Amino acid sequence: MTLVNEPVDKNINRKKYCRFKKSGIKYIDYKDPNFLLKLVNEQGKILPRRLTGTSLKYQRKVSQAIKRSRHLALMPFVADQLK
């Protein structure tokens, strides 16, 4: 028998980390829209640092890369269902 009010996510207290620092990525390529799609939500908005765990230095680079990719029409500005 399971409880109805049981929390779905059990890793609430997990420490967030910057995936770019951990992987040693120095440059975020704006010409790779498949990778950049992981950093935007279904509407096409850039995910904030508090959700992704990205450090400030790399969040600035991510947002700049997404904006460049949008400008060159590699990624859409807005979408109904992007993913």
Side-chain angles (χ1 to χ4, degrees):
M1 186 169 143
T2 60
L3 297 174
V4 177
N5 294 332
E6 192 173 310
V8 177
D9 189 13
K10 295 178 181 168
N11 297 326
I12 294 172
N13 295 330
R14 180 183 284 177
K15 178 81 171 114
K16 292 185 177 134
Y17 62 92
C18 180
R19 70 174 81 186
F20 302 106
K21 280 186 181 177
K22 188 173 183 182
S23 302
I25 297 173
K26 301 273 185 214
Y27 178 71
I28 300 167
D29 192 14
Y30 65 92
K31 294 171 281 191
D32 187 12
N34 294 326
F35 175 72
L36 295 175
L37 279 176
K38 297 175 187 172
L39 301 167
V40 297
N41 65 6
E42 293 83 20
Q43 291 85 28
K45 296 180 180 178
I46 300 171
L47 290 174
R49 288 179 56 211
R50 60 187 162 81
L51 293 181
T52 59
T54 308
S55 66
L56 179 63
K57 175 182 173 181
Y58 288 103
Q59 181 70 22
R60 287 183 184 135
K61 290 182 179 184
V62 163
S63 63
Q64 189 66 34
I66 290 173
K67 290 173 186 178
R68 285 179 180 167
S69 182
R70 286 174 176 167
H71 186 73
L72 293 173
L74 299 175
M75 286 179 63
F77 279 93
V78 293
D80 291 333
Q81 293 297 323
L82 195 58
K83 295 181 182 177

